[in-house]
């Protein structure tokens, strides 16, 4: 039986090649992603180890409950402690550090390379006895020697096109600064090499910016020869202030940094794994269909094997062995293709903001086992049902010349099961359509319901094939007898047609659903960005922990073309056991920059102890204008009574509540600062000239964003762009695998209908007519899968739309007609293209030889 399985694989290698390609795609994505993940992690670890190569122990401050109130925890790391550590046995050198965050400005005022604090490093350049800083060695120029000088790493210099002598604009936490570039250094810090920046200052300036004069943020120690890191850490711990500082080995520091950066960049592996799952899921239908057709064609052969003594187990084992051999070939080919994917993924996924470290490919046991498990496992599982069908073939089948149609009882069971799943999936989706709550549980329920609906469509597809294809056949009927024959050929075996169309149905459903959600979300973001905003520009901090210098507000108000510049302070509002957001505004200017729709009261009475709340917050707390609300603002978590002076309709610009600017600003974590400036212009519209003046007014501070309405919409739509990328990727995978399935099905169908095609040729059908018949049959199958996929995808997107409406009040169900039409046309084109080779093969058949040898 094993020889029989091997012979069958070799006998049908051309037909099975399509199945190999489908499985190969999934295996390649899985193995390639795992190799990429292992290689990336190894590169991060290697880079971090190099960065901490000379560091045996690092001393850092530690929060202590015994510290005096208001004392900076970093104050324990001073020059006295540096001298004490230098005297510890086994310490070869001591390097104090003053590190923090420094964001450099690009030419357009935006952050250079990255806007994230963890990747924008600022530090002190600390030269050793030889005049060089071992951690940041100079490669050009000299070290910064005063408060007006700076050094950067080579990657930062290249990204900003900086040269020695240039003036660099940067900010640490507050007003913008200008420094002269005097040196370029090298660094192996993975935070910088992963797309960040590095700015180095002299020791005194770094202490002033990131710690305090005479204080440090950390102290690095180098071990003397023969002293281990753990041993030295133990000695150092004995001289540290108890509970005020801690010692960590360099190896632990390197491992922690590598893990931190790897965690921040691990999202790169999610998208390829999604593609892998989809390709394997869709490809499994191609496998099932291929083996079902092969078993059907070999009915006589299997019956003869049964007649000469083969048991059912041996017949099923033969089919599964054939599938396993096919899976081994697919796994090997997929693994090799996966290595290519792993090699190109860093270039595809890495950007200027998320550069990936260089390193060799790391091929561990995990991707090899995954490739074999996925390739062989999926193929064998998909062939299990056809193997059972093969085992049920009775010896008497060898005497039959016609294929027996499935029993009516089996069709009824299939229909009943499909209807149950359809009602269950659709019912759950409809029940969720009225729930405006995008909680994790509701999202999981929605995904489960969509999955059940797709399975229901797959189960019902053979029963739906006849009515849908007859409907589509009205169009092909215009091609005369050729179109009629194409329709009847598609209806000849509804199970085969449904299985062939299932791959295209799944990919179309995914794409249609994502397209609808993405388009509706983009429209909602557009409305949300403008809703409630009366200003033409918004100047805001990039992180909530930053603030805008009050002097910048005055400069913005004085800029030419500015009519109103209203400062807004955003802080936390503690109410009802939860945390909300309150915006501090000036009642005199709030109406000019916000579109507030009060249902009760007004903003005119805002003042100390008086707030206005959104309709949602008022409903949750059961309050109205004139009531008292116990709340805590900013640092003052202790609840105090506040008088509610008004209730306004939910407004994304205003947030959950409005308070007096002076009171809210004084209660923030950065007292006296504001987080937004809302600007209206004299012309009532944005322009490049006004935008440039505003950026100049805030000193081209890279910590601040100057955005008009269009920029706000574009920023908010960033996640939609990722969704569209996923959508087109899934569409490409579905199209490729669907095309392979149609080619496979038509090739086998042509082989089965050799005599029939010969008769058609003999009675007068020319080669062009045969080709047209096969192409129309492929288009009908593609249209069937596309229609089912569109119906399932659009319905699912409609049903789960209310969940998005719960997270985004402006969300509304909108159909992207252009995208859906493009998907339909592309699917039909795929069907026509997939039929090219089978159609040529059918047209090339000789009428006499086909009739005689069919």
């Amino acid at each position: 039986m094993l020889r029989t399985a091997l012979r069958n694989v070799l006998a049908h290698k051309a037909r099975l090649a399509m199945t190999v390609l489908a499985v190969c795609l999934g295996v390649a994505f899985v193995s390639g992603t795992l190799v990429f993940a292992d290689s990336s992690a190894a590169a991060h670890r290697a880079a971090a180890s190099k960065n901490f190569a000379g560091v045996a122990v690092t001393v850092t401050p530690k929060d202590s409950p015994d510290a005096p109130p208001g004392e900076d925890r970093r104050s324990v790391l001073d020059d006295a402690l540096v001298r004490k550590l230098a005297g510890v046995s086994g310490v070869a050198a001591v390097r104090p550090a003053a590190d923090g965050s420094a964001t450099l400005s690009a030419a357009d005022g935006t952050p250079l390379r990255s806007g994230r604090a963890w990747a924008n490093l600022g530090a002190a350049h600390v030269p050793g006895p030889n005049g060089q800083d071992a951690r940041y060695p100079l490669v050009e120029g000299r070290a910064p020697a005063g408060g007006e000088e700076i050094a950067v790493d080579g990657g930062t210099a290249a990204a900003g096109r900086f040269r020695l002598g240039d003036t660099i604009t940067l900010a640490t936490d507050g007003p913008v600064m200008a420094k002269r570039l005097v040196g370029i250094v090298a660094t192996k810090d993975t935070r910088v090499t992963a797309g960040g920046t590095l700015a180095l200052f002299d020791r005194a300036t770094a202490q002033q910016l990131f710690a305090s004069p005479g204080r440090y943020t950390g102290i690095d120690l180098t071990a003397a020869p023969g002293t281990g890191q753990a041993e030295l850490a133990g000695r150092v711990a004995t001289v540290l202030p108890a509970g005020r500082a801690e010692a960590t080995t360099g190896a632990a520091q390197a491992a922690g940094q590598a893990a931190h950066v790897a965690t921040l960049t691990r999202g790169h592996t999610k998208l390829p794994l999604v593609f892998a799952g989809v390709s394997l899921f869709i490809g499994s239908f191609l496998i099932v269909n291929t083996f079902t057709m092969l078993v059907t064609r070999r009915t006589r052969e299997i019956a003869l094997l049964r007649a000469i003594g083969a048991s059912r187990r041996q017949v099923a084992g033969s089919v599964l062995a054939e599938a396993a051999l096919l899976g081994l070939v697919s796994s090997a080919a997929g693994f090799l293709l996966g290595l290519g994917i792993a090699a190109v993924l860093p270039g595809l996924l890495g950007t200027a903001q998320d550069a990936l470290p260089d390193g060799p490919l790391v091929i561990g046991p995990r991707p090899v086992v995954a490739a074999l498990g996925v390739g062989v496992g999926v193929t064998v599982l998909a062939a299990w049902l056809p193997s059972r069908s093969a085992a049920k073939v009775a010896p008497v089948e060898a005497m039959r010349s016609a294929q027996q149609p499935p029993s009516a009882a089996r069709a009824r069971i299939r229909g009943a099961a499909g209807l149950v799943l359809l009602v269950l999936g659709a019912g759950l989706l409809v029940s969720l359509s009225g729930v405006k709550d995008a909680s994790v549980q509701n999202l999981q329920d929605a995904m489960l319901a969509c999955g059940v609906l797709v399975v229901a469509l797959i189960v019902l597809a053979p029963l739906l094939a006849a009515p849908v294809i007859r409907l589509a056949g009205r169009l092909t009927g215009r091609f005369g007898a050729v179109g009629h024959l194409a329709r009847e050929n598609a209806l000849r075996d509804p199970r085969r047609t449904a299985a062939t169309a299932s791959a295209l149905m799944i990919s179309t459903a995914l794409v249609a659903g994502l397209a609808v959600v993405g388009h509706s979300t983009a429209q909602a973001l557009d409305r949300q960005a403008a809703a409630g905003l009366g200003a033409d520009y918004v100047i805001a901090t990039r992180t909530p922990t930053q603030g805008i210098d009050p002097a910048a507000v005055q400069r913005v108000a004085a800029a030419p073309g500015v009519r109103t510049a209203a400062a807004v302070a955003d802080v936390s509002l503690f109410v009802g056991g939860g945390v909300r957001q309150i915006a501090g505004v000036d009642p005199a200017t709030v109406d000019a920059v916000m579109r507030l729709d009060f249902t009760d009261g007004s903003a005119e009475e805002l003042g100390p102890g008086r707030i206005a709340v959104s309709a949602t917050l008022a409903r949750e707390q059961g309050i109205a204008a004139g009531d008292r609300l116990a709340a805590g603002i900013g640092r003052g978590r202790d609840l105090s009574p506040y008088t509610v002076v008004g209730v306004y309709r939910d407004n994304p610009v205003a947030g959950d509540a409005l308070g007096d600017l002076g009171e809210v600003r004084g209660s923030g974590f950065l007292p006296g600062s504001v987080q937004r400036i809302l600007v209206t212009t004299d012309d009532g519209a944005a322009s490049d000239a006004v935008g440039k003046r505003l950026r100049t007014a805030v000193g081209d501070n890279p910590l601040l964003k100057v955005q008009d309405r269009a920029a706000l919409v574009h920023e908010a739509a960033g996640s939609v762009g990722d969704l569209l990328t996923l959508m087109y990727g899934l569409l490409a995978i579905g199209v490729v695998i669907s095309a392979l399935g149609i080619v496979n099905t038509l090739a086998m169908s042509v082989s089965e209908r050799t005599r029939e095609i010969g008769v058609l040729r003999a009675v007068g059908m020319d080669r062009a007519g045969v080709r047209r018949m096969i192409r129309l049959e492929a288009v009908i199958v593609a249209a069937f899968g596309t229609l089912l996929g569109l119906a399932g995808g659009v319905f699912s997107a409609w049903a789960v739309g209310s969940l998005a409406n719960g997270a985004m009040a402006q969300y509304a169900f909108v159909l992207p007609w252009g995208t859906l039409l493009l998907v339909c046309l592309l699917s039909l084109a795929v069907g026509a293209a997939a039929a090219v080779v089978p159609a040529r093969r059918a047209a090339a058949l000789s009428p006499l030889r086909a009739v005689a040898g069919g």
Side-chain angles (χ1 to χ4, degrees):
M1 297 304 294
L2 182 61
R3 287 196 298 270
T4 301
L6 182 59
R7 179 188 61 81
N8 286 329
V9 170
L10 296 177
H12 304 96
K13 52 182 177 295
R15 297 169 188 170
L16 293 176
M18 303 297 176
T19 306
V20 170
L21 286 175
V23 180
C24 180
L25 284 175
V27 173
F29 278 118
V30 171
S31 60
T33 302
L34 293 178
V35 170
F36 164 70
D38 291 344
S39 303
S40 179
H44 282 307
R45 288 194 298 270
S49 297
K50 292 178 181 178
N51 184 40
F52 288 93
V55 178
V57 175
T58 297
V59 176
T60 53
K62 184 179 180 180
D63 289 324
S64 173
D66 300 328
E71 180 184 74
D72 187 345
R73 67 189 186 98
R74 294 169 297 187
S75 63
V76 68
L77 305 186
D78 55 13
D79 290 323
L81 182 60
V82 171
R83 290 190 294 270
K84 183 184 295 186
L85 292 173
V88 173
S89 175
V91 173
V94 180
R95 182 190 181 279
D99 301 338
S101 175
T103 305
L104 279 65
S105 177
D108 59 356
T110 59
L112 181 66
R113 298 188 74 180
S114 173
R116 296 159 300 184
W118 69 267
N120 295 324
L121 306 184
H125 187 273
V126 184
N130 61 353
Q132 280 277 15
D133 188 332
R135 190 164 189 179
Y136 304 117
L138 281 165
V139 296
E140 189 177 352
R142 60 176 178 83
E148 302 303 318
E149 296 179 346
I150 192 177
V152 300
D153 69 286
T156 299
R161 298 181 180 179
F162 299 140
R163 296 182 178 180
L164 296 181
D166 288 351
T167 298
I168 297 179
T169 303
L170 72 151
T172 55
D173 184 12
V176 69
M177 299 177 288
K179 307 288 184 181
R180 185 166 62 90
L181 180 63
V182 297
I184 297 177
V185 303
T187 181
K188 297 174 183 176
D189 195 312
T190 53
R191 294 169 294 179
V192 180
T193 58
T197 60
L198 173 65
L200 296 178
F201 308 87
D202 68 284
R203 183 184 302 196
T205 302
Q207 287 177 321
Q208 183 177 0
L209 292 173
F210 307 126
S212 58
R215 301 293 191 269
Y216 304 99
T217 58
I219 304 174
D220 295 333
L221 307 177
T222 301
T227 304
Q229 292 187 0
E231 178 186 359
L232 184 59
R235 295 176 187 174
V236 168
T238 61
V239 302
L240 295 178
R244 306 277 307 280
E246 59 184 346
T248 307
T249 63
Q253 289 276 95
Q257 186 179 106
H260 176 65
V261 176
T263 299
L264 295 170
T265 57
R266 67 182 176 184
H268 295 310
T269 62
K270 293 181 180 179
L271 193 61
L273 285 178
V274 170
F275 290 161
V278 171
S279 60
L280 288 171
F281 183 63
I282 297 177
S284 64
F285 291 93
L286 175 55
I287 301 170
V288 172
N289 202 26
T290 300
F291 276 92
T292 300
M293 289 187 291
L294 289 175
V295 168
T296 301
R297 288 204 64 199
R298 300 207 304 261
T299 299
R300 284 190 176 185
E301 174 188 328
I302 295 171
L304 287 173
L305 289 173
R306 293 292 315 284
I308 62 177
S311 66
R312 290 189 174 188
R313 178 176 297 179
Q314 286 178 315
V315 171
S318 174
V319 176
L320 293 179
E322 188 177 341
L325 291 173
L326 192 69
L328 283 174
V329 175
S330 303
S331 298
F335 185 76
L336 293 177
L337 180 59
L339 295 181
I341 291 176
V344 301
L345 275 178
L348 295 175
L349 299 177
T351 64
Q353 287 73 34
D354 288 302
L356 300 175
D358 295 327
L361 290 181
V362 176
I363 304 175
R366 186 174 64 151
V368 177
V369 172
L372 288 173
V374 168
V376 177
V378 170
T379 310
V380 171
L381 284 176
W384 180 69
L385 286 176
S387 72
R388 292 190 61 195
S389 299
K392 293 178 181 178
V393 175
V396 72
E397 295 287 342
M399 296 182 290
R400 292 178 177 173
S401 59
Q403 178 185 348
Q404 297 300 311
S407 64
R410 181 180 297 181
R412 286 194 293 270
I413 293 174
R414 187 186 191 107
L419 286 175
V420 170
L421 291 173
L422 182 65
V423 171
L424 182 63
L428 183 55
L429 283 174
V430 170
S431 67
L432 290 171
S433 64
V435 179
K436 295 185 176 182
D437 180 12
S439 65
V440 174
Q441 183 60 51
N442 286 337
L443 290 174
Q444 291 176 346
D445 291 344
M447 293 177 64
L448 175 63
C450 291
V452 172
L453 182 63
V454 169
V455 173
L457 291 177
I458 293 172
V459 174
L460 290 173
L463 304 178
L464 296 174
V468 175
I469 289 177
R470 286 195 177 94
L471 179 63
R474 293 183 179 181
L475 297 177
T476 60
R478 298 187 177 184
F479 292 89
V482 171
H484 176 75
L485 287 173
R487 183 189 65 187
E488 293 305 314
N489 287 334
L491 288 171
R492 178 176 300 183
D493 190 343
R495 290 184 300 170
R496 178 188 298 180
T497 299
T500 305
S502 292
L504 193 58
M505 180 193 72
I506 295 169
S507 60
T508 303
L510 286 171
V511 171
L514 289 175
V516 173
V517 172
H519 183 70
S520 301
T521 302
Q523 296 288 322
L525 290 172
D526 195 348
R527 291 188 292 271
Q528 185 183 57
L533 180 64
D536 302 306
Y537 285 92
V538 176
I539 303 174
T541 59
R542 295 187 180 273
T543 64
T545 58
Q546 298 168 346
I548 301 177
D549 181 15
V553 181
Q554 303 301 322
R555 293 195 301 270
V556 168
V562 173
R563 176 182 299 174
T564 306
V568 180
D570 297 312
V571 301
S572 299
L573 177 69
F574 302 92
V575 57
V579 181
R580 297 301 187 95
Q581 199 78 7
I582 185 170
V585 297
D586 183 352
T589 60
V590 66
D591 288 335
V593 295
M594 293 185 186
R595 295 172 180 169
L596 298 171
D597 184 7
F598 276 88
T599 59
D600 193 5
S602 69
E604 297 178 357
E605 299 181 19
L606 287 175
R610 299 192 297 273
I611 62 174
V613 298
S614 66
T616 297
L617 183 58
R619 183 173 60 255
E620 292 177 353
Q621 300 299 320
I623 56 176
D627 293 344
R628 305 274 282 182
L629 176 66
I633 295 179
R635 294 171 300 166
R637 295 191 177 211
D638 294 336
L639 302 185
S640 302
Y642 286 87
T643 301
V644 178
V645 299
V647 177
Y648 55 87
R649 298 186 188 277
D650 289 1
N651 187 310
V653 179
D656 301 307
L658 292 174
D660 177 71
L661 176 61
E663 181 180 26
V664 174
R665 182 167 56 183
S667 302
F669 293 96
L670 297 173
S673 66
V674 298
Q675 282 65 49
R676 286 183 289 166
I677 306 175
L678 307 183
V679 180
T680 59
T681 63
D682 291 334
D683 298 333
S687 67
D688 292 339
V690 175
K692 186 176 181 179
R693 294 190 197 111
L694 293 177
R695 283 189 290 271
T696 301
V698 295
D700 286 326
N701 193 328
L703 299 178
L704 302 180
K705 298 180 291 185
V706 179
Q707 298 173 296
D708 57 14
R709 291 172 182 267
L712 289 169
V713 172
H714 180 74
E715 180 183 62
S719 57
V720 178
D722 296 337
L723 187 64
L724 293 178
T725 299
L726 176 62
M727 180 188 78
Y728 292 123
L730 295 176
L731 177 60
I733 291 175
V735 163
V736 171
I737 298 179
S738 301
L740 295 176
I742 294 174
V743 171
N744 225 14
T745 299
L746 290 179
M748 291 190 178
S749 178
V750 168
S751 179
E752 291 173 355
R753 291 170 8 217
T754 299
R755 179 173 293 175
E756 174 187 322
I757 294 172
V759 172
L760 291 174
R761 292 292 313 282
V763 299
M765 181 178 288
D766 57 9
R767 295 178 185 271
V770 174
R771 288 195 296 268
R772 190 179 304 114
M773 178 183 67
I774 301 298
R775 286 197 296 266
L776 287 175
E777 182 180 347
V779 170
I780 289 174
V781 173
F784 172 59
T786 301
L787 288 175
L788 284 187
L790 285 175
V794 172
F795 175 76
S796 299
W798 167 80
V800 302
S802 62
L803 300 182
N805 183 260
M808 188 182 305
Q810 288 76 18
Y811 184 91
F813 178 76
V814 182
L815 288 176
W817 294 106
T819 302
L820 297 180
L821 178 61
L822 180 63
V823 170
C824 291
L825 295 177
L826 182 60
S827 299
L828 297 179
V830 167
V836 170
V837 174
R840 286 182 179 179
R841 182 180 177 185
L845 291 173
S846 170
L848 293 179
R849 296 179 63 182
V851 172

